[in-house]
Amino acid sequence: MSGYPSGDFYSTPDLGGGSAINNSFDVQYGPQLGGGILVDPTATVSQRTDSAAAKRSVAKLQQQQQALFLRSVKRRIHQTSPISPLSPVSPEISTASSATSGHEADPDSVHKMRNRLQELERQLLNDDDNDEEGDCSPASTIANSDWSETMQSLVTPPPPHKPLSPSPTTSSPSSSNSSSFCSTNSITSQAKQQLLDAALAISEGNIESAAAILTRLQQVSCSRPAGGNPEQRLTAYLVQALLSRINPSDTCFPVSELYCNEHVMATHILLEASPCFKLGFMAANHTILEATQNQAKIHVVDFNIGQGSQYVTLIQALGERQSAKPAVKITAVNDPNASFPDALRIVGDRLTKLAERVGLSLRFGVVSRKLLDLNRETLGCEQDETLAVNFAFCLYKMPDESVSTANPRDELLRLVKGLGPSVVTLVEQEMNANTSPFLARFSETQSYYCALFESLEATITRESKERTLVEECLARKFTNCVAREGRDRVERCEVYGKWRARMVMAGFEARPLSAQVSESMRVRLNSIRPNPGFFGKEDSGGVCFGWKGRVLAVASAWR
């Protein structure tokens, strides 16, 4: 038994105030960003083809005609030929091909060449019907390859622009986007590479080149994020993030918005909607239940309680214990400078009412003190209670040694170690975006949020209001990560290996998750099928959750 009530994996019991997802938000949202990236006409290498070369190619084709009569041609008889009567080679295409090579095309030569090519095609497609299919001799393979390549070079005009150079100092962005079109499938590695090119230009101080690349990406974006696929939507936001890096004063996502009520509510929706984050909460709850088993008094200290959703299942599980129900105390530590302290009292009232419904005694308290003022006395810790400390998506927002010599991140860990907790749970995003240089940080951010945006497809519809809230929440987060430095950069995620090193240096030792926890997480993962893109695995004492090979969150326990 996992200790959790049965029910829909995504459902959250009513705490008296309704679910945050179902609440109506009377707020004004920022402008919608473009979502689609168009096909760049500079993606292929220009080929020089003039009428003289075309004639030589025809002569070569005549020599190879015998080989082209081999049986392998039979396999192409039902395919559309590059010069079939359904799609004839127009004089305009031939003329354009010749003109791009810098030579004037002779109309008579072009006409004769087109007729000769069509004649060859008819001869090939009228091959002996009695030939056996499936002959794949080397001669036929080479002939097919030569025919295809030669025909492509004769009938396909080269693109009008050169490809974007990997080096921003040599790139020459196109000034014309007239041939672009908005398609949900148009963004692939090309747009990703251009974003990396822009980031590289920024890192090298070539702001003019970076701005030109970003302007082009902006111009070819779909006007509505809802109209594109996840990659397109993410690219539109990343363009804005890099523009904000170039001009910090002109940004739609200032640092202050990371602390606004709208961002907090959107974060709550994200944590509830993403199985990777929700399973991280559940793994932490399982660990707390195991560490406090058969204890009469339990005290949980939380440094980032948010909307309190994590404790809904914890309270329900404690209320279902067959033995004597424990007395539970939850202490939410709050920043004394927070602009909305009353929100935590509302969370406490809802959790208290839930505890009453399941027959559990709960005391909820809020402590608003500076880090240096926290100790067992100010936190209300008692000698006869079992203490658990929960760090769920909290520590990454604490400044570290790269920001301040005081190193509040490690200082908090040492302070918690001094409290003598029975268990400390840690849940964090798996992203190396703290002390990495800007270019590496941008590449990591792009990769991480690409997987996260794709995973949202399995849980929130594109057109929903919640999806817009969540995506703008994520945009604020990664904009802060890539566009800000120093104390203005709040988003400082690290990978599990670095968190493990910090915990050990603070005096903690790992508390491996039990087989029961692992099995419970496996059951939860199976419950979200048919979305097999989500996965879970154990690694170095922690349990990892992710999407299609990319780990998004890691939960671990310490003592």
Side-chain angles (χ1 to χ4, degrees), residues 137-163:
S137 64
S140 65
T141 302
I142 295 173
N144 263 327
S145 176
D146 288 346
W147 169 263
S148 177
E149 293 176 3
T150 305
M151 293 303 301
Q152 189 70 17
S153 66
L154 288 173
V155 302
T156 304
H161 303 291
K162 296 180 180 180

PDB file of all heavy atoms in Angstrom, residues 137-163:
ATOM      1  N   SER A 137      20.558  -4.464 -58.565  1.00  0.00           N
ATOM      2  CA  SER A 137      21.965  -4.588 -58.923  1.00  0.00           C
ATOM      3  C   SER A 137      22.677  -3.273 -58.746  1.00  0.00           C
ATOM      4  O   SER A 137      22.073  -2.207 -58.801  1.00  0.00           O
ATOM      5  CB  SER A 137      22.075  -5.043 -60.384  1.00  0.00           C
ATOM      6  OG  SER A 137      21.544  -4.037 -61.238  1.00  0.00           O
ATOM      7  N   PRO A 138      23.997  -3.280 -58.508  1.00  0.00           N
ATOM      8  CA  PRO A 138      24.744  -2.044 -58.330  1.00  0.00           C
ATOM      9  C   PRO A 138      24.597  -1.106 -59.504  1.00  0.00           C
ATOM     10  O   PRO A 138      24.505   0.110 -59.333  1.00  0.00           O
ATOM     11  CB  PRO A 138      26.184  -2.527 -58.160  1.00  0.00           C
ATOM     12  CG  PRO A 138      26.056  -3.933 -57.650  1.00  0.00           C
ATOM     13  CD  PRO A 138      24.843  -4.479 -58.306  1.00  0.00           C
ATOM     14  N   ALA A 139      24.567  -1.659 -60.730  1.00  0.00           N
ATOM     15  CA  ALA A 139      24.449  -0.791 -61.897  1.00  0.00           C
ATOM     16  C   ALA A 139      23.156  -0.015 -61.891  1.00  0.00           C
ATOM     17  O   ALA A 139      23.111   1.177 -62.199  1.00  0.00           O
ATOM     18  CB  ALA A 139      24.572  -1.630 -63.182  1.00  0.00           C
ATOM     19  N   SER A 140      22.068  -0.707 -61.524  1.00  0.00           N
ATOM     20  CA  SER A 140      20.785  -0.014 -61.511  1.00  0.00           C
ATOM     21  C   SER A 140      20.732   1.026 -60.425  1.00  0.00           C
ATOM     22  O   SER A 140      20.121   2.083 -60.584  1.00  0.00           O
ATOM     23  CB  SER A 140      19.649  -1.036 -61.318  1.00  0.00           C
ATOM     24  OG  SER A 140      19.750  -1.646 -60.053  1.00  0.00           O
ATOM     25  N   THR A 141      21.337   0.744 -59.287  1.00  0.00           N
ATOM     26  CA  THR A 141      21.344   1.708 -58.189  1.00  0.00           C
ATOM     27  C   THR A 141      22.073   2.973 -58.571  1.00  0.00           C
ATOM     28  O   THR A 141      21.626   4.089 -58.323  1.00  0.00           O
ATOM     29  CB  THR A 141      22.002   1.083 -56.940  1.00  0.00           C
ATOM     30  OG1 THR A 141      21.290  -0.095 -56.594  1.00  0.00           O
ATOM     31  CG2 THR A 141      21.988   2.061 -55.773  1.00  0.00           C
ATOM     32  N   ILE A 142      23.235   2.821 -59.203  1.00  0.00           N
ATOM     33  CA  ILE A 142      24.010   3.987 -59.626  1.00  0.00           C
ATOM     34  C   ILE A 142      23.262   4.783 -60.672  1.00  0.00           C
ATOM     35  O   ILE A 142      23.224   6.003 -60.643  1.00  0.00           O
ATOM     36  CB  ILE A 142      25.389   3.538 -60.164  1.00  0.00           C
ATOM     37  CG1 ILE A 142      26.200   2.905 -59.038  1.00  0.00           C
ATOM     38  CG2 ILE A 142      26.133   4.703 -60.785  1.00  0.00           C
ATOM     39  CD1 ILE A 142      27.497   2.295 -59.494  1.00  0.00           C
ATOM     40  N   ALA A 143      22.633   4.064 -61.617  1.00  0.00           N
ATOM     41  CA  ALA A 143      21.891   4.754 -62.662  1.00  0.00           C
ATOM     42  C   ALA A 143      20.744   5.561 -62.079  1.00  0.00           C
ATOM     43  O   ALA A 143      20.507   6.701 -62.465  1.00  0.00           O
ATOM     44  CB  ALA A 143      21.357   3.733 -63.676  1.00  0.00           C
ATOM     45  N   ASN A 144      20.000   4.950 -61.152  1.00  0.00           N
ATOM     46  CA  ASN A 144      18.911   5.668 -60.510  1.00  0.00           C
ATOM     47  C   ASN A 144      19.408   6.911 -59.806  1.00  0.00           C
ATOM     48  O   ASN A 144      18.817   7.980 -59.860  1.00  0.00           O
ATOM     49  CB  ASN A 144      18.221   4.760 -59.481  1.00  0.00           C
ATOM     50  CG  ASN A 144      16.979   4.118 -60.066  1.00  0.00           C
ATOM     51  OD1 ASN A 144      16.301   4.704 -60.897  1.00  0.00           O
ATOM     52  ND2 ASN A 144      16.697   2.904 -59.625  1.00  0.00           N
ATOM     53  N   SER A 145      20.554   6.776 -59.101  1.00  0.00           N
ATOM     54  CA  SER A 145      21.117   7.907 -58.364  1.00  0.00           C
ATOM     55  C   SER A 145      21.528   9.026 -59.295  1.00  0.00           C
ATOM     56  O   SER A 145      21.236  10.201 -59.060  1.00  0.00           O
ATOM     57  CB  SER A 145      22.310   7.434 -57.522  1.00  0.00           C
ATOM     58  OG  SER A 145      22.922   8.518 -56.870  1.00  0.00           O
ATOM     59  N   ASP A 146      22.225   8.665 -60.407  1.00  0.00           N
ATOM     60  CA  ASP A 146      22.664   9.683 -61.357  1.00  0.00           C
ATOM     61  C   ASP A 146      21.473  10.399 -61.980  1.00  0.00           C
ATOM     62  O   ASP A 146      21.477  11.618 -62.160  1.00  0.00           O
ATOM     63  CB  ASP A 146      23.523   9.044 -62.460  1.00  0.00           C
ATOM     64  CG  ASP A 146      24.892   8.643 -61.922  1.00  0.00           C
ATOM     65  OD1 ASP A 146      25.217   9.110 -60.812  1.00  0.00           O
ATOM     66  OD2 ASP A 146      25.593   7.894 -62.614  1.00  0.00           O
ATOM     67  N   TRP A 147      20.454   9.603 -62.366  1.00  0.00           N
ATOM     68  CA  TRP A 147      19.273  10.203 -62.983  1.00  0.00           C
ATOM     69  C   TRP A 147      18.603  11.190 -62.023  1.00  0.00           C
ATOM     70  O   TRP A 147      18.278  12.315 -62.383  1.00  0.00           O
ATOM     71  CB  TRP A 147      18.292   9.096 -63.373  1.00  0.00           C
ATOM     72  CG  TRP A 147      16.938   9.616 -63.780  1.00  0.00           C
ATOM     73  CD1 TRP A 147      15.831   9.703 -63.005  1.00  0.00           C
ATOM     74  CD2 TRP A 147      16.575  10.125 -65.056  1.00  0.00           C
ATOM     75  NE1 TRP A 147      14.796  10.223 -63.706  1.00  0.00           N
ATOM     76  CE2 TRP A 147      15.218  10.500 -64.987  1.00  0.00           C
ATOM     77  CE3 TRP A 147      17.265  10.300 -66.260  1.00  0.00           C
ATOM     78  CZ2 TRP A 147      14.537  11.018 -66.055  1.00  0.00           C
ATOM     79  CZ3 TRP A 147      16.580  10.833 -67.334  1.00  0.00           C
ATOM     80  CH2 TRP A 147      15.230  11.190 -67.232  1.00  0.00           C
ATOM     81  N   SER A 148      18.412  10.747 -60.757  1.00  0.00           N
ATOM     82  CA  SER A 148      17.739  11.605 -59.788  1.00  0.00           C
ATOM     83  C   SER A 148      18.511  12.881 -59.536  1.00  0.00           C
ATOM     84  O   SER A 148      17.954  13.976 -59.521  1.00  0.00           O
ATOM     85  CB  SER A 148      17.547  10.839 -58.471  1.00  0.00           C
ATOM     86  OG  SER A 148      16.966  11.664 -57.500  1.00  0.00           O
ATOM     87  N   GLU A 149      19.845  12.759 -59.334  1.00  0.00           N
ATOM     88  CA  GLU A 149      20.655  13.942 -59.045  1.00  0.00           C
ATOM     89  C   GLU A 149      20.688  14.891 -60.229  1.00  0.00           C
ATOM     90  O   GLU A 149      20.593  16.121 -60.078  1.00  0.00           O
ATOM     91  CB  GLU A 149      22.065  13.518 -58.658  1.00  0.00           C
ATOM     92  CG  GLU A 149      22.129  12.767 -57.327  1.00  0.00           C
ATOM     93  CD  GLU A 149      23.530  12.278 -57.034  1.00  0.00           C
ATOM     94  OE1 GLU A 149      24.439  12.572 -57.844  1.00  0.00           O
ATOM     95  OE2 GLU A 149      23.713  11.641 -56.001  1.00  0.00           O
ATOM     96  N   THR A 150      20.836  14.333 -61.445  1.00  0.00           N
ATOM     97  CA  THR A 150      20.914  15.189 -62.628  1.00  0.00           C
ATOM     98  C   THR A 150      19.596  15.894 -62.875  1.00  0.00           C
ATOM     99  O   THR A 150      19.553  17.088 -63.179  1.00  0.00           O
ATOM    100  CB  THR A 150      21.302  14.350 -63.855  1.00  0.00           C
ATOM    101  OG1 THR A 150      22.511  13.654 -63.575  1.00  0.00           O
ATOM    102  CG2 THR A 150      21.501  15.233 -65.076  1.00  0.00           C
ATOM    103  N   MET A 151      18.480  15.146 -62.761  1.00  0.00           N
ATOM    104  CA  MET A 151      17.180  15.757 -62.967  1.00  0.00           C
ATOM    105  C   MET A 151      16.935  16.859 -61.938  1.00  0.00           C
ATOM    106  O   MET A 151      16.389  17.921 -62.253  1.00  0.00           O
ATOM    107  CB  MET A 151      16.069  14.694 -62.854  1.00  0.00           C
ATOM    108  CG  MET A 151      16.097  13.655 -63.973  1.00  0.00           C
ATOM    109  SD  MET A 151      15.981  14.410 -65.597  1.00  0.00           S
ATOM    110  CE  MET A 151      14.423  15.239 -65.437  1.00  0.00           C
ATOM    111  N   GLN A 152      17.343  16.605 -60.671  1.00  0.00           N
ATOM    112  CA  GLN A 152      17.133  17.608 -59.634  1.00  0.00           C
ATOM    113  C   GLN A 152      17.900  18.882 -59.945  1.00  0.00           C
ATOM    114  O   GLN A 152      17.419  19.991 -59.768  1.00  0.00           O
ATOM    115  CB  GLN A 152      17.560  17.042 -58.267  1.00  0.00           C
ATOM    116  CG  GLN A 152      17.198  17.919 -57.078  1.00  0.00           C
ATOM    117  CD  GLN A 152      15.696  17.934 -56.837  1.00  0.00           C
ATOM    118  OE1 GLN A 152      14.976  17.079 -57.344  1.00  0.00           O
ATOM    119  NE2 GLN A 152      15.237  18.921 -56.089  1.00  0.00           N
ATOM    120  N   SER A 153      19.153  18.720 -60.437  1.00  0.00           N
ATOM    121  CA  SER A 153      19.970  19.895 -60.740  1.00  0.00           C
ATOM    122  C   SER A 153      19.444  20.665 -61.937  1.00  0.00           C
ATOM    123  O   SER A 153      19.629  21.874 -62.045  1.00  0.00           O
ATOM    124  CB  SER A 153      21.419  19.467 -61.000  1.00  0.00           C
ATOM    125  OG  SER A 153      21.505  18.693 -62.167  1.00  0.00           O
ATOM    126  N   LEU A 154      18.735  19.970 -62.837  1.00  0.00           N
ATOM    127  CA  LEU A 154      18.242  20.639 -64.037  1.00  0.00           C
ATOM    128  C   LEU A 154      16.939  21.380 -63.792  1.00  0.00           C
ATOM    129  O   LEU A 154      16.700  22.428 -64.390  1.00  0.00           O
ATOM    130  CB  LEU A 154      18.024  19.606 -65.157  1.00  0.00           C
ATOM    131  CG  LEU A 154      19.297  19.025 -65.796  1.00  0.00           C
ATOM    132  CD1 LEU A 154      18.921  17.913 -66.757  1.00  0.00           C
ATOM    133  CD2 LEU A 154      20.095  20.102 -66.512  1.00  0.00           C
ATOM    134  N   VAL A 155      16.080  20.827 -62.948  1.00  0.00           N
ATOM    135  CA  VAL A 155      14.744  21.402 -62.819  1.00  0.00           C
ATOM    136  C   VAL A 155      14.544  22.207 -61.556  1.00  0.00           C
ATOM    137  O   VAL A 155      13.550  22.897 -61.414  1.00  0.00           O
ATOM    138  CB  VAL A 155      13.668  20.286 -62.876  1.00  0.00           C
ATOM    139  CG1 VAL A 155      13.788  19.515 -64.154  1.00  0.00           C
ATOM    140  CG2 VAL A 155      13.753  19.383 -61.660  1.00  0.00           C
ATOM    141  N   THR A 156      15.453  22.125 -60.566  1.00  0.00           N
ATOM    142  CA  THR A 156      15.268  22.816 -59.292  1.00  0.00           C
ATOM    143  C   THR A 156      16.111  24.075 -59.248  1.00  0.00           C
ATOM    144  O   THR A 156      17.339  23.984 -59.281  1.00  0.00           O
ATOM    145  CB  THR A 156      15.642  21.910 -58.106  1.00  0.00           C
ATOM    146  OG1 THR A 156      14.863  20.724 -58.197  1.00  0.00           O
ATOM    147  CG2 THR A 156      15.375  22.619 -56.788  1.00  0.00           C
ATOM    148  N   PRO A 157      15.511  25.248 -59.138  1.00  0.00           N
ATOM    149  CA  PRO A 157      16.309  26.464 -59.030  1.00  0.00           C
ATOM    150  C   PRO A 157      16.948  26.555 -57.663  1.00  0.00           C
ATOM    151  O   PRO A 157      16.342  26.155 -56.677  1.00  0.00           O
ATOM    152  CB  PRO A 157      15.265  27.578 -59.220  1.00  0.00           C
ATOM    153  CG  PRO A 157      13.978  26.972 -58.780  1.00  0.00           C
ATOM    154  CD  PRO A 157      14.060  25.521 -59.153  1.00  0.00           C
ATOM    155  N   PRO A 158      18.159  27.047 -57.567  1.00  0.00           N
ATOM    156  CA  PRO A 158      18.812  27.171 -56.267  1.00  0.00           C
ATOM    157  C   PRO A 158      18.158  28.264 -55.447  1.00  0.00           C
ATOM    158  O   PRO A 158      17.509  29.149 -55.992  1.00  0.00           O
ATOM    159  CB  PRO A 158      20.256  27.542 -56.635  1.00  0.00           C
ATOM    160  CG  PRO A 158      20.130  28.221 -57.960  1.00  0.00           C
ATOM    161  CD  PRO A 158      19.006  27.533 -58.672  1.00  0.00           C
ATOM    162  N   PRO A 159      18.299  28.207 -54.096  1.00  0.00           N
ATOM    163  CA  PRO A 159      17.712  29.240 -53.236  1.00  0.00           C
ATOM    164  C   PRO A 159      18.395  30.575 -53.480  1.00  0.00           C
ATOM    165  O   PRO A 159      19.546  30.636 -53.868  1.00  0.00           O
ATOM    166  CB  PRO A 159      17.996  28.716 -51.823  1.00  0.00           C
ATOM    167  CG  PRO A 159      19.172  27.823 -51.979  1.00  0.00           C
ATOM    168  CD  PRO A 159      19.042  27.211 -53.333  1.00  0.00           C
ATOM    169  N   PRO A 160      17.671  31.660 -53.224  1.00  0.00           N
ATOM    170  CA  PRO A 160      18.218  32.971 -53.538  1.00  0.00           C
ATOM    171  C   PRO A 160      19.243  33.491 -52.560  1.00  0.00           C
ATOM    172  O   PRO A 160      19.853  34.511 -52.807  1.00  0.00           O
ATOM    173  CB  PRO A 160      16.961  33.860 -53.529  1.00  0.00           C
ATOM    174  CG  PRO A 160      16.035  33.178 -52.594  1.00  0.00           C
ATOM    175  CD  PRO A 160      16.281  31.714 -52.783  1.00  0.00           C
ATOM    176  N   HIS A 161      19.405  32.808 -51.376  1.00  0.00           N
ATOM    177  CA  HIS A 161      20.311  33.328 -50.365  1.00  0.00           C
ATOM    178  C   HIS A 161      21.283  32.261 -49.916  1.00  0.00           C
ATOM    179  O   HIS A 161      21.024  31.068 -50.052  1.00  0.00           O
ATOM    180  CB  HIS A 161      19.525  33.838 -49.150  1.00  0.00           C
ATOM    181  CG  HIS A 161      18.516  34.882 -49.504  1.00  0.00           C
ATOM    182  ND1 HIS A 161      18.846  36.130 -49.927  1.00  0.00           N
ATOM    183  CD2 HIS A 161      17.156  34.825 -49.494  1.00  0.00           C
ATOM    184  CE1 HIS A 161      17.742  36.829 -50.162  1.00  0.00           C
ATOM    185  NE2 HIS A 161      16.716  36.049 -49.908  1.00  0.00           N
ATOM    186  N   LYS A 162      22.359  32.679 -49.315  1.00  0.00           N
ATOM    187  CA  LYS A 162      23.311  31.752 -48.724  1.00  0.00           C
ATOM    188  C   LYS A 162      22.833  31.344 -47.339  1.00  0.00           C
ATOM    189  O   LYS A 162      22.106  32.070 -46.691  1.00  0.00           O
ATOM    190  CB  LYS A 162      24.692  32.414 -48.612  1.00  0.00           C
ATOM    191  CG  LYS A 162      25.305  32.755 -49.956  1.00  0.00           C
ATOM    192  CD  LYS A 162      26.675  33.396 -49.763  1.00  0.00           C
ATOM    193  CE  LYS A 162      27.309  33.735 -51.107  1.00  0.00           C
ATOM    194  NZ  LYS A 162      28.640  34.361 -50.937  1.00  0.00           N
ATOM    195  N   PRO A 163      23.257  30.154 -46.850  1.00  0.00           N
ATOM    196  CA  PRO A 163      22.842  29.730 -45.513  1.00  0.00           C
ATOM    197  C   PRO A 163      23.480  30.597 -44.444  1.00  0.00           C
ATOM    198  O   PRO A 163      24.527  31.186 -44.645  1.00  0.00           O
ATOM    199  CB  PRO A 163      23.349  28.279 -45.429  1.00  0.00           C
ATOM    200  CG  PRO A 163      24.510  28.253 -46.372  1.00  0.00           C
ATOM    201  CD  PRO A 163      24.154  29.195 -47.483  1.00  0.00           C
TER     202      PRO A 163
END
